[in-house]
Amino acid sequence: AEKSAVIRAEIATAEAAKQKKRDSATKAKEAAAAKEAAKRQADKDNEMKLQAAKAKEEETRRAQEAEKARRAEQSSAAIRKAKDDTEAEKLQEDAKLAASKAEAEAIAKAIR
């Protein structure tokens, strides 16, 4: 009976050691899974940051293009206005010349 009790105690100790080993392996697996999940989440976070940075870069590029187009349009409008102003001045000069010529002809006619 005493031998039997010793054997049962040894068996119980061996079972406890096996269980402890299984528990350690389970904890190690859980820790590895948690580490992997954290890595996946970090990768996902980094990808989101990268996408946000790309979107901001694209938004900045579009804003710069829009500003460039606006300035080009302003410049074109200024050039058109200057051209129109020049044409208007030329027409005004032509009208003055025509009036002077008509006046000169009228004076010449009156003298004759």
Side-chain angles (χ1 to χ4, degrees):
E2 198 176 298
K3 246 184 184 180
S4 172
V6 169
I7 291 172
R8 279 196 305 271
E10 286 176 357
I11 289 172
T13 302
E15 288 296 326
K18 279 185 195 175
Q19 186 60 45
K20 188 174 183 183
K21 192 174 182 180
R22 278 195 296 267
D23 290 348
S24 291
T26 300
K27 284 182 184 173
K29 285 179 187 174
E30 288 172 353
K35 186 176 179 182
E36 182 60 30
K39 183 185 180 305
R40 280 194 304 272
Q41 186 61 47
D43 289 347
K44 193 186 241 184
D45 291 348
N46 287 338
E47 181 62 29
M48 287 180 71
K49 286 178 187 172
L50 182 64
Q51 292 300 327
K54 283 181 181 177
K56 185 170 178 68
E57 193 175 283
E58 179 67 14
E59 181 183 334
T60 300
R61 185 186 65 75
R62 286 187 181 167
Q64 288 170 340
E65 285 179 358
E67 178 63 15
K68 185 177 176 182
R70 186 188 66 75
R71 286 187 181 163
E73 180 57 34
Q74 254 184 349
S75 178
S76 293
I79 290 169
R80 281 193 302 274
K81 184 179 181 322
K83 190 175 176 184
D84 290 348
D85 290 351
T86 302
E87 286 178 18
E89 286 173 14
K90 189 175 184 302
L91 287 172
Q92 205 170 19
E93 279 298 314
D94 289 349
K96 283 180 186 176
L97 275 169
S100 294
K101 187 176 178 183
E103 188 179 340
E105 286 175 1
I107 292 171
K109 206 175 201 182
I111 292 174
R112 283 191 233 142

